Amino acid sequence: MTDPGFMGPPWQMDWTLKAQTARDVLPERVRKMVDAARAEMVTAADPYYRGIDADAHLPDDMKVRPVRSSDPKGSRLFFFDHGHGWLRYTFVRRVEDPQIIVEEIFWQ
């Protein structure tokens, strides 16, 4: 991600309407956890969290995994609250205005 002209963190983040609606109905304490996860994602050097222990700097209750290991640039699951919740997101890598798009959110 060191291409000349490529924008870096903090990344832009957008939510699908479905994900935003799901986030808005969560209890306040869970929304704060989602906000903490969002802060980690938008400031990450590599939003794909690639490589061994790439997410090692995250708090203990957060982990990132690919949805499918055969698709290294595909969707990711960002687990929070010790796995009780997750965000499914993709990273749209563009020279101008790259962004993270949260497609789905779940918490139980």
Side-chain angles (χ1 to χ4, degrees):
M1 298 239 180
T2 59
D3 299 344
F6 185 68
M7 296 173 60
W11 307 107
Q12 298 295 318
M13 180 178 270
D14 198 7
W15 299 68
T16 64
L17 290 176
K18 177 183 171 184
Q20 184 66 49
T21 301
R23 182 213 175 270
D24 291 346
V25 299
L26 292 172
E28 176 73 21
R29 70 177 188 82
V30 178
R31 285 195 308 266
K32 287 181 180 182
M33 287 186 265
V34 171
D35 292 344
R38 178 194 179 280
E40 293 291 343
M41 285 192 292
V42 300
T43 58
D46 181 0
Y48 288 128
Y49 291 92
R50 291 176 289 214
I52 297 172
D53 294 332
D55 61 358
H57 73 283
L58 292 174
D60 290 339
D61 67 333
M62 295 180 188
K63 298 286 181 223
V64 178
R65 299 290 180 260
V67 171
R68 290 183 349 183
S69 61
S70 62
D71 189 8
K73 292 187 178 180
S75 295
R76 294 284 193 263
L77 291 174
F78 193 110
F79 295 96
F80 63 93
D81 192 19
H82 299 283
H84 291 279
W86 47 262
L87 302 163
R88 183 170 53 91
Y89 73 94
T90 56
F91 178 66
V92 181
R93 187 180 191 272
R94 300 184 285 235
V95 172
E96 299 220 13
D97 196 29
Q99 67 179 339
I100 296 168
I101 300 172
V102 178
E103 299 167 340
E104 190 173 4
I105 185 170
F106 176 81
W107 181 80
Q108 63 177 7

